[in-house]
Amino acid sequence: IVNMIVQQDVLDPPEDCFRMRMIIVLLETCGHFFDRGSSKRRLDRFMIYFQRYLLSKGLIPLDVEFDLQVYMPSKFTCFDCKS
C-alpha cells in the first residue's frame, strides 16, 4: 500500500494543479451540453469525484480556487449548498 501511495505522489504531486485547471476549462467549454437526462446524471457523478479529488489535493492556488468559486456553483447543482 505504501508503494502505491508513493507512486501516486510521483504521478500527481500535491502541489501540481494541471489536472484541476484542465477539468475546469473542459467544463467551462462543454459543460452546457450535459444539462439533461443521463448525461446530466453522469456529469453530477463526475462532479462528486472531482470534488473528492479537490479535497485530496490540500492547498489549492488562489486562481484555481477563484475559478471554482465563480464557475462551479453557478453551473452544477452538486456544488450548491442545500442546508
Side-chain angles (χ1 to χ4, degrees):
I1 294 177
V2 173
N3 189 20
M4 289 175 21
I5 294 171
V6 171
Q7 184 179 8
Q8 181 181 3
D9 286 346
V10 171
L11 296 175
D12 188 26
E15 67 276 355
D16 185 26
C17 297
F18 173 75
R19 286 180 176 87
M20 285 187 268
R21 289 186 176 105
M22 182 176 59
I23 290 171
I24 291 169
V25 169
L26 282 171
L27 291 172
E28 288 175 347
T29 305
C30 58
H32 62 277
F33 291 109
F34 300 96
D35 61 347
R36 62 181 153 244
S38 65
S39 60
K40 182 178 181 346
R41 286 191 299 271
R42 286 183 183 170
L43 181 62
D44 287 343
R45 188 177 308 132
F46 172 78
M47 294 303 293
I48 292 169
Y49 285 109
F50 181 52
Q51 188 175 17
R52 179 179 168 198
Y53 174 74
L54 291 172
L55 293 171
S56 73
K57 289 299 273 187
L59 293 175
I60 298 173
L62 288 176
D63 61 329
V64 175
E65 187 175 343
F66 177 76
D67 288 340
L68 290 169
Q69 288 176 354
V70 169
Y71 184 71
M72 296 303 172
S74 65
K75 298 292 183 187
F76 302 104
T77 58
C78 66
F79 277 89
D80 288 341
C81 295
K82 304 224 178 180
S83 55

